[in-house]
Amino acid sequence: MLMISPRMASAMQEKQYTPSLLSFFIYNPTFGPREGEEEKKILFYHPSDIEKNEKIRNVGLCEAIVQFTRTFCPTKPAKSLHTQKNRQFFFEPEDNFWIVMVVRNPMIEKPNKDGKPPTIEYQEEEILDTVYGAVVRQCYSMYKLFNGTFGRAMEAGGVELLTQKLEKFFYRYLQTLHLQSCDLLDVFGGISFFPLDKMTYLKIQSFVNRVEESLSLIKYTAFLYNDQLIWSGLEQDDMRILYKYLTTSLFPRHSEPELAGRDSPLRPEVAGNLLHYGRFLTGPTNLKDPEAKFRFPKIFVTAEDGYEELHLIVYKAMSAAACFMISASVELTRDFCEQLDGLVGPQLTLLASDICEQFTINRRISGPEKEPQFKFIYFNHMNLAEKSTIHMRKTASVCLTSVHPDLMKILGDINCDFARVDEDEEIIVKAMTDYWVVGKKSDQRELYVILNQKNANLIEVNGMSPPPDDE
Amino acid sequence: MTEPPQQHYLELSENPVQFEHASSVNNVFFDEANKQVFAVRSGGATGVVVKGPDDKSSVAFRMDDKGEVKCIKFSIGNKILAVQRTSKSVDFINFIPDYPHTEFSQECKTKNANVLGFCWTNWNEIVFITDQGIEFYQVFPDKRSLKLLKNQSINVNWYQYCPETAVILLSTTVQGNILQPFAFRNGTMSKMSKFEIELPVIPKPAKLSLSERDIAMATIYGQLYVMYLKHHSRTANSPSAEVVLYHLPREGACKKSHVLKLNTTGKFALNIVDNLVVVHHQSSQTSLIFDINLKEPDCAVNTHQPVLPARSIHPYRMPLAGPAVVPSQPPVPCQLYSSSWSVFQPDIIISASEGYLWYLQVKLHPTVNLLQDKGKLMDFLLRRRDCKMVILSVCSQILEGGVKGSLPVVATVFDKLNQVYKEYLEAEQSYTVAMESGPSRGSAAQKRPVRTQAVIDQSDMYTHVLSSFTERKEVSHKFVIAVLMEYIRSLNQHQITVQHYLYELVIKTLVQHNLFYMLHQFLQYHVLSDSKPLACLLLSLESTYPPAHQLSLDMLKRLSTANDEIVEVLLSKQQVLGALRFIRSVGGHDNVSARKFLDAARQTGDQMLFYTVFRSFQQRNQRLRGSPAFNPGENKPRIWFIFQMKPTIGGLKI
């Protein structure tokens, strides 16, 4: 299948506006079925300063659309509504609970002569349903990770508690949504795995097993290096969202002081004079502090019978991070934290330098890193392995890409095409400005390659597509 | 029994050599070289009974009573008997059939010398040790004469002989502490370098201070050592006795190499059993064992503490004197550590007054509970002869103990086992390489490495430890997986190829507990190495865990020898185009049978697909043979027919 991308020509002196969040609200139609009680349906509304009647009107509209479209296909309710100025995304994560996100379409402001007000052109086709649909689902997953389901809050404290929780969580979380930089990677929600040789991997296994054996409170362990996953004792779906939290929120928050060399002093341990770099990223910042609080964030993961509430201890030494998860019913004490620090600190420090060494050796063997001729995104649905040479290192605030947004859009379009059929497929697109985009889907894997080669023809492009390894 | 039986790690052999006990009319001699006991009645006139370790070496005969026998020994193979009756000469009797049986005699050459004793170094070579030197003779039994091969003058206080290495050790000088060894081999005598034993106190005036009883020679781990029992002395600052080992190499100087701390005083005797130095302590009636290869982290180099706490030899009961005893009579306990015991190297204990010769043996099972440090226990066990089953039972014990924090111990034990295993594999490997390259290179013929019991391979581990361990219900699956991974880690660390059945065990355990995601991660990092059987195993898991399909195909692809299997798998999933693409990509398109592809395409009921596949093969045929027709064997007319029909049927439908 060959398509020619029509866009990429852009006029000068125009002002471009990226997609942005207009509103975000959560409602349950069963909470206020009678007239005059509509406000009760609304559990959360952002922005909060909107006038009550407008909130009710917007919620009512969504409700109506969902109800109306249900008549056409009862099993698949409406997912989004496209309008000229914005796009609305609907998601029903739990029975009768609806999350709606309204995104303003990107627009171009064209200056007019003669002092007339500028013309605004909405680019309603520029944003992808798959990307923002995924963003909404991610919002819910993240809420669920830290709070459990909506239903759980309802059982525990009714609507009052639920609204409190939603307020508390989304107030902060929505500020971290950067809709303008959402792309294909959000659709995948993948996990980047750290490439590692077998022996070092086995050493990590050994470390995890030993820690879990001697600190038997620990139920699950995850191990990351350089923000990439190496081992997860959690199930895949839980790890997926935890990974998202760690890499986009927790680690970036702690990376700056590390880079500056502060906050990570080599601590001479009293006993045995063991030096190690280990420290807690969650919980107490300084164990020696007599005022230190031993409170850790709690997370919810799937268990055999519904949900399981866990303390999340994230402990880091150099680039190696270990997440230990302990049943929330246990109270964590100073004693335990000191024990963990004493046991894990030295071992993790040693492992971190082992991994680093091994990594450097491997890189030396594979030769100096050349600027590759192409950029790619790889994703394997089966193990959620994701790899991208398009994206720069994620920071807390933005996710930078090294290619033009138009190309990212093409990738997203190809992905939508892939999603429609089960068969293996290959799509080659010639974009403007000499770019070729190749998308390939084989069984559970998807690979997207962007080539920037002048005068390359279709046959040449077809010839090159090396599938990278999962790691 | 007052003491639990498992406490005794030393025992006397069950079938001792029995002989007539020493009495006023019966003299008993022991020959260390042939390990024979001589019971000489009335100077031999009423009979000499020789009992050896087996029946073959047991002999009975008479000889004339020509005076009191001082020493009596057969040459190697019972060919010639040598008897010393005076301090000047040794008498010989032929025991070779058809040779004259009349005694002949040989006086020592050195004038005024007294013969201290003699040693056979071969079937026809003998050494006389006199107080003035040694004389080395060859015996000609047919001529009934001896020829002096070599002699050496030296003042001798006493001597010791190590038959294993044919080394004679002479005590010289006034104090007796300068020892001069001589080695004998095939008619040659070589003087080894002499050395001095450090005495605890230098006596003034000088007098003989080193007793024959305090010196013993033995081979330990294939090396000859002179063991010196250094008694404690009040003047020197040695609070307790110790055994000092001097290493006596074939060439080069003798060096003091090990010190064994006895931590007590009194009368001691030494044995060597299974390369362990056993020190018997008479007053406490206990024995200690030392392993000179066991490194002691807390001690200075080569100073050793006993491996295990002191224990007595296992109680021994012997039937009442003589075979004529009434069977119903219960056996009586034997008095252990009796003053009538004589101890000989390496492992012999003789009670002349009771008429018993025992071999001392080490029992490994009781050591398991006496040595708490499992790493050290493994070091100890791995050097013992009959260690395999004990080691395996220790492994089971550690795993089933379920003691918290046992994983590091498990890891240490695995590493120690695999170190020995790896050394054997490497030796085997280099032997194979040497054999293949032919005898031309490497003049010294390489010996095939001996597989000792200490080589515990994966199948031993699997059969005796891991398979039953993974079956146990009370052990948490987390621990089972941790142990299996630890074993695989250890094998990998020692560059040993892991056997498929271990992977199978891991997979089985993971699958049983629905830990598919763990399994997935292990495969992702190639912890479970690729193989066809493993890929097939994964394929069989597809119904419970769909991603296993992809994992399996990936593995087959990496193996690069399983292209046929990949095609089969894809076709069975009706991924006909995928199969076709794959076979093209690996260059197998030209040789592949079109039939199975067409069959699979037909089964999908997708006409377009069938057409595509069909065309693809037609094009191939055109390219290969210049005609789109199929070879008769390759393509049955039936398929042709179906294809011919299909478009029409399709056309009607539309």
Side-chain angles (χ1 to χ4, degrees):
Chain A
M1 184 161 142
L2 179 68
M3 306 189 296
I4 300 293
S5 165
R7 246 163 265 279
M8 278 224 181
S10 69
M12 301 300 227
Q13 291 123 11
E14 290 170 352
K15 215 168 161 192
Q16 201 139 23
Y17 292 91
T18 53
S20 59
L21 182 68
L22 271 183
S23 58
F24 185 99
F25 47 90
I26 300 167
Y27 68 90
N28 186 328
T30 60
F31 289 177
R34 273 181 295 236
E35 232 174 275
E37 288 181 349
E38 287 91 346
E39 199 189 353
K40 289 185 181 168
K41 295 177 187 174
I42 306 171
L43 301 166
F44 173 79
Y45 203 104
H46 165 90
S48 54
D49 53 2
I50 282 185
E51 197 257 324
K52 186 178 107 183
N53 282 327
E54 196 184 335
K55 286 183 188 173
I56 292 169
R57 252 202 328 277
N58 288 337
V59 168
L61 180 65
C62 292
E63 221 182 310
I65 290 164
V66 169
Q67 272 306 331
F68 171 68
T69 53
R70 225 189 258 280
T71 52
F72 300 104
C73 181
T75 50
K76 284 188 192 166
K79 282 182 183 156
S80 68
L81 174 69
H82 298 206
T83 63
Q84 188 198 13
K85 290 185 180 173
N86 58 43
R87 201 176 277 197
Q88 305 192 17
F89 298 91
F90 314 112
F91 177 47
E92 185 186 21
E94 293 170 43
D95 276 351
N96 292 316
F97 285 99
W98 286 88
I99 301 178
V100 179
M101 180 170 80
V102 185
V103 178
R104 193 198 58 199
N105 288 334
M107 52 192 189
I108 296 170
E109 212 178 61
K110 287 184 178 168
N112 280 333
K113 290 173 202 163
D114 324 324
K116 277 195 220 162
T119 334
I120 290 174
E121 198 178 283
Y122 288 95
Q123 299 174 292
E124 59 237 64
E125 291 311 312
E126 283 305 283
I127 64 177
L128 285 164
D129 279 354
T130 49
V131 171
Y132 293 96
V135 170
V136 178
R137 283 195 301 278
Q138 222 169 60
C139 287
Y140 172 70
S141 298
M142 201 61 89
Y143 169 86
K144 199 175 69 171
L145 178 69
F146 290 103
N147 298 282
T149 56
F150 296 157
R152 184 186 166 273
M154 286 297 294
E155 274 169 33
V159 184
E160 208 173 315
L161 181 70
L162 178 61
T163 48
Q164 261 175 33
K165 276 180 175 286
L166 291 174
E167 193 67 45
K168 195 174 158 213
F169 177 81
F170 283 107
Y171 173 73
R172 267 182 52 193
Y173 185 74
L174 291 180
Q175 295 174 358
T176 66
L177 278 186
H178 298 280
L179 294 185
Q180 71 280 8
S181 53
C182 291
D183 59 32
L184 188 57
L185 283 194
D186 292 284
V187 178
F188 294 146
I191 295 170
S192 175
F193 286 93
F194 188 77
L196 204 60
D197 66 294
K198 178 161 60 171
M199 200 52 235
T200 318
Y201 183 78
L202 282 168
K203 273 191 206 163
I204 293 168
Q205 271 297 313
S206 186
F207 160 79
V208 170
N209 288 334
R210 282 176 194 205
V211 173
E212 286 190 4
E213 199 208 15
S214 44
L215 300 173
S216 50
L217 281 180
I218 296 171
K219 256 190 131 166
Y220 310 101
T221 307
F223 194 101
L224 296 94
Y225 188 86
N226 253 354
D227 294 6
Q228 289 171 299
L229 186 67
I230 294 178
W231 168 251
S232 160
L234 283 181
E235 284 305 309
Q236 201 179 44
D237 281 337
D238 293 319
M239 194 61 229
R240 178 186 224 169
I241 192 70
L242 179 63
Y243 178 80
K244 175 92 188 163
Y245 164 69
L246 293 173
T247 53
T248 59
S249 175
L250 186 69
F251 291 159
R253 257 190 282 143
H254 286 86
S255 69
E256 275 92 64
E258 216 163 78
L259 292 173
R262 282 180 289 116
D263 205 33
S264 176
L266 194 57
R267 293 179 313 172
E269 286 295 297
V270 190
N273 198 25
L274 287 167
L275 299 173
H276 72 79
Y277 290 96
R279 67 200 176 96
F280 288 91
L281 291 197
T282 59
T285 42
N286 182 5
L287 275 182
K288 301 272 181 292
D289 181 4
E291 303 284 298
K293 293 264 192 315
F294 297 91
R295 271 208 304 267
F296 294 90
K298 287 186 185 145
I299 59 166
F300 292 78
V301 301
T302 37
E304 275 159 34
D305 45 352
Y307 280 90
E308 190 175 7
E309 195 176 352
L310 302 165
H311 292 289
L312 174 66
I313 301 176
V314 183
Y315 190 89
K316 199 170 180 189
M318 305 203 276
S319 296
C323 307
F324 301 110
M325 283 149 271
I326 295 171
S327 173
S329 57
V330 182
E331 199 177 332
L332 296 179
T333 59
R334 173 186 292 271
D335 237 25
F336 177 82
C337 293
E338 282 173 352
Q339 208 186 337
L340 188 139
D341 186 59
L343 179 79
V344 175
Q347 288 191 59
L348 194 62
T349 307
L350 206 65
L351 259 184
S353 64
D354 263 14
I355 298 168
C356 180
E357 195 179 326
Q358 205 54 47
F359 183 61
T360 333
I361 290 170
N362 289 349
R363 225 180 14 198
R364 210 177 303 137
I365 291 167
S366 64
E369 243 173 88
K370 273 187 293 181
E371 183 68 22
Q373 287 188 354
F374 56 85
K375 294 193 164 110
F376 70 86
I377 294 180
Y378 166 82
F379 181 69
N380 186 348
H381 286 275
M382 193 183 67
N383 59 358
L384 306 180
E386 158 192 291
K387 214 171 187 176
S388 166
T389 58
I390 289 173
H391 294 77
M392 312 289 193
R393 194 187 158 83
K394 282 173 192 151
T395 63
S397 48
V398 273
C399 180
L400 293 167
T401 58
S402 57
V403 299
H404 194 273
D406 281 1
L407 285 170
M408 289 310 293
K409 166 90 179 1
I410 294 174
L411 296 185
D413 283 333
I414 297 176
N415 170 258
C416 292
D417 278 327
F418 284 161
R420 268 196 279 274
V421 274
D422 264 345
E423 303 270 307
D424 291 357
E425 255 188 285
E426 190 167 315
I427 296 174
I428 299 173
V429 181
K430 172 87 168 79
M432 293 305 188
T433 60
D434 286 328
Y435 281 102
W436 285 91
V437 179
V438 182
K440 198 166 185 172
K441 179 188 173 199
S442 171
D443 196 16
Q444 301 281 304
R445 295 185 169 98
E446 290 178 31
L447 176 69
Y448 303 85
V449 179
I450 298 175
L451 291 160
N452 182 17
Q453 225 170 348
K454 271 206 179 1
N455 308 320
N457 62 36
L458 186 61
I459 293 163
E460 283 166 7
V461 170
N462 199 11
M464 49 172 104
S465 49
D469 212 354
D470 274 352
E471 291 158 18
Chain B
M1 223 174 278
T2 48
E3 262 183 305
Q6 63 268 27
Q7 292 284 302
H8 308 282
Y9 48 80
L10 289 167
E11 65 179 355
L12 300 173
S13 53
E14 247 174 66
N15 303 308
V17 176
Q18 288 186 42
F19 54 87
E20 192 183 341
H21 62 86
S23 66
S24 53
V25 288
N26 185 42
N27 285 332
V28 176
F29 300 90
F30 179 65
D31 171 19
E32 287 177 85
N34 291 323
K35 307 209 182 336
Q36 288 168 322
V37 181
F38 289 76
V40 182
R41 288 182 69 90
S42 327
T46 48
V48 178
V49 180
V50 184
K51 293 261 184 130
D54 49 50
D55 291 339
K56 245 202 307 193
S57 50
S58 300
V59 196
F61 58 88
R62 281 167 200 278
M63 61 184 191
D64 297 336
D65 183 358
K66 291 182 181 172
E68 196 199 341
V69 174
K70 288 184 165 178
C71 185
I72 180 167
K73 285 171 187 174
F74 270 116
S75 77
I76 292 159
N78 291 1
K79 299 278 198 280
I80 307 164
L81 179 72
V83 187
Q84 187 197 350
R85 294 179 175 114
T86 69
S87 60
K88 295 293 171 197
S89 66
V90 178
D91 306 325
F92 296 90
I93 304 165
N94 279 336
F95 267 70
I96 307 165
D98 307 334
Y99 276 48
H101 281 220
T102 337
E103 280 191 21
F104 55 100
S105 184
Q106 175 71 44
E107 267 192 38
C108 68
K109 296 275 182 202
T110 323
K111 292 245 161 63
N112 305 323
N114 288 317
V115 177
L116 300 174
F118 62 87
C119 313
W120 288 100
T121 60
N122 206 337
W123 77 272
N124 64 346
E125 285 165 13
I126 192 164
V127 184
F128 289 6
I129 298 99
T130 72
D131 53 3
Q132 290 175 32
I134 52 171
E135 299 169 6
F136 185 31
Y137 292 99
Q138 188 174 2
V139 186
F140 297 97
D142 48 343
K143 293 179 194 153
R144 301 175 57 234
S145 66
L146 279 80
K147 182 185 141 196
L148 182 69
L149 294 174
K150 210 164 184 187
N151 65 342
Q152 171 96 33
S153 288
I154 185 169
N155 280 327
V156 180
N157 302 310
W158 46 262
Y159 76 96
Q160 295 235 333
Y161 180 52
C162 174
E164 269 178 287
T165 50
V167 170
I168 292 175
L169 192 65
L170 305 177
S171 155
T172 70
T173 71
V174 181
Q175 293 175 92
N177 67 330
I178 306 292
L179 299 182
Q180 174 63 62
F182 286 93
F184 297 86
R185 192 187 280 169
N186 301 328
T188 63
M189 174 178 103
S190 49
K191 194 174 177 179
M192 296 162 77
S193 55
K194 63 181 176 190
F195 62 97
E196 182 182 350
I197 298 278
E198 293 168 30
L199 295 171
V201 263
I202 315 292
K204 270 177 192 165
K207 56 166 185 175
L208 185 59
S209 312
L210 184 64
S211 158
E212 181 181 356
R213 279 199 317 257
D214 294 335
I215 293 290
M217 275 197 288
T219 42
I220 307 169
Y221 293 116
Q223 296 295 317
L224 180 61
Y225 287 92
V226 172
M227 300 183 284
Y228 165 46
L229 195 56
K230 188 175 179 180
H231 293 284
H232 106 106
S233 80
R234 256 176 237 117
T235 43
N237 52 352
S238 56
S240 59
E242 53 192 34
V243 175
V244 184
L245 266 60
Y246 292 83
H247 180 217
L248 203 55
R250 276 255 157 232
E251 275 155 36
C254 175
K255 265 206 304 256
K256 178 176 167 178
S257 60
H258 299 275
V259 176
L260 316 180
K261 293 284 185 191
L262 303 183
N263 305 324
T264 178
T265 60
K267 267 182 92 178
F268 300 97
L270 301 173
N271 272 136
I272 304 294
V273 185
D274 204 359
N275 293 314
L276 293 168
V277 181
V278 181
V279 183
H280 306 291
H281 184 228
Q282 200 180 25
S283 56
S284 69
Q285 306 226 332
T286 55
S287 306
L288 293 167
I289 57 173
F290 293 88
D291 184 344
I292 57 169
N293 273 9
L294 213 58
K295 295 275 175 296
E296 298 269 348
D298 302 337
C299 297
V301 189
N302 294 335
T303 299
H304 301 265
Q305 291 292 335
V307 180
L308 301 169
R311 287 288 185 273
S312 77
I313 295 170
H314 193 280
Y316 186 84
R317 284 158 184 271
M318 47 192 176
L320 277 178
V325 88
V326 190
S328 63
Q329 207 148 12
V332 292
C334 166
Q335 197 206 333
L336 303 172
Y337 301 93
S338 146
S339 54
S340 71
W341 275 15
S342 311
V343 172
F344 294 93
Q345 296 317 315
D347 55 352
I348 290 161
I349 294 172
I350 292 175
S351 172
S353 63
E354 282 159 321
Y356 279 87
L357 179 151
W358 296 281
Y359 293 97
L360 187 65
Q361 295 168 338
V362 172
K363 292 197 296 178
L364 295 180
H365 265 291
T367 64
V368 170
N369 296 320
L370 289 172
L371 201 53
Q372 287 316 307
D373 179 342
K374 298 294 177 208
K376 200 171 155 191
L377 176 66
M378 275 299 149
D379 285 336
F380 172 77
L381 290 177
L382 281 168
R383 296 202 186 88
R384 307 285 76 85
R385 206 174 35 233
D386 299 319
C387 59
K388 177 174 266 176
M389 293 322 288
V390 181
I391 289 175
L392 290 169
S393 78
V394 171
C395 291
S396 297
Q397 196 192 357
I398 297 171
L399 295 186
E400 281 153 20
V403 189
K404 197 175 151 188
S406 59
L407 262 186
V409 179
V410 171
T412 316
V413 168
F414 286 161
D415 283 345
K416 286 185 189 293
L417 296 183
N418 288 328
Q419 180 61 33
V420 177
Y421 179 25
K422 176 210 177 184
E423 279 161 17
Y424 168 74
L425 289 177
E426 278 179 349
E428 181 80 7
Q429 170 87 17
S430 66
Y431 171 78
T432 316
V433 169
M435 286 299 106
E436 275 166 4
S437 66
S440 56
R441 241 189 301 165
S443 52
Q446 209 173 348
K447 264 195 280 177
R448 192 186 181 90
V450 183
R451 183 178 172 146
T452 65
Q453 284 214 6
V455 178
I456 310 268
D457 64 18
Q458 295 172 61
S459 100
D460 293 329
M461 245 356 231
Y462 178 84
T463 322
H464 298 285
V465 181
L466 296 176
S467 62
S468 61
F469 165 65
T470 51
E471 297 287 310
R472 287 177 74 103
K473 296 269 184 312
E474 68 274 21
V475 184
S476 79
H477 65 267
K478 221 171 175 176
F479 187 64
V480 171
I481 293 158
V483 167
L484 292 174
M485 292 316 286
E486 205 57 65
Y487 189 54
I488 289 173
R489 178 204 54 78
S490 180
L491 290 169
N492 271 294
Q493 196 157 307
H494 291 89
Q495 284 123 33
I496 301 168
T497 315
V498 181
Q499 294 294 321
H500 176 251
Y501 45 75
L502 289 178
Y503 294 144
E504 222 167 85
L505 206 55
V506 173
I507 295 175
K508 205 179 87 190
T509 314
L510 291 170
V511 169
Q512 261 171 12
H513 295 94
N514 283 319
L515 298 169
F516 289 104
Y517 190 46
M518 266 191 202
L519 171 63
H520 200 134
Q521 294 182 68
F522 289 155
L523 289 162
Q524 196 173 314
Y525 282 97
H526 308 305
V527 167
L528 311 176
S529 307
D530 298 346
S531 72
K532 266 190 208 177
L534 190 55
C536 293
L537 182 62
L538 286 174
L539 214 50
S540 71
L541 292 177
E542 196 197 339
S543 55
T544 32
Y545 186 62
H549 176 72
Q550 195 193 80
L551 287 168
S552 167
L553 276 184
D554 289 352
M555 190 176 286
L556 289 171
K557 179 80 172 68
R558 283 194 301 266
L559 284 169
S560 78
T561 54
N563 293 343
D564 291 345
E565 281 86 348
I566 295 175
V567 169
E568 292 301 330
V569 170
L570 289 174
L571 289 180
S572 74
K573 295 254 120 189
Q574 301 200 329
Q575 294 178 342
V576 187
L577 282 183
L580 206 56
R581 268 192 219 116
F582 171 75
I583 201 73
R584 269 191 197 170
S585 71
V586 297
H589 189 229
D590 290 356
N591 312 316
V592 84
S593 151
R595 185 171 170 186
K596 60 183 173 193
F597 285 85
L598 292 168
D599 270 347
R602 189 165 54 84
Q603 272 163 23
T604 62
D606 181 340
Q607 291 169 31
M608 263 314 284
L609 178 68
F610 185 84
Y611 179 72
T612 312
V613 175
F614 187 80
R615 283 295 297 160
S616 150
F617 279 104
Q618 275 195 329
Q619 280 165 11
R620 179 198 73 172
N621 295 344
Q622 180 82 44
R623 182 165 49 80
L624 288 178
R625 295 189 284 269
S627 147
F630 287 87
N631 278 344
E634 186 178 32
N635 195 41
K636 295 274 157 59
R638 188 170 54 92
I639 295 176
W640 252 118
F641 171 74
I642 292 162
F643 178 58
Q644 301 281 318
M645 295 298 289
K646 280 238 167 169
T648 339
I649 299 162
L652 280 175
K653 269 185 185 165
I654 295 162

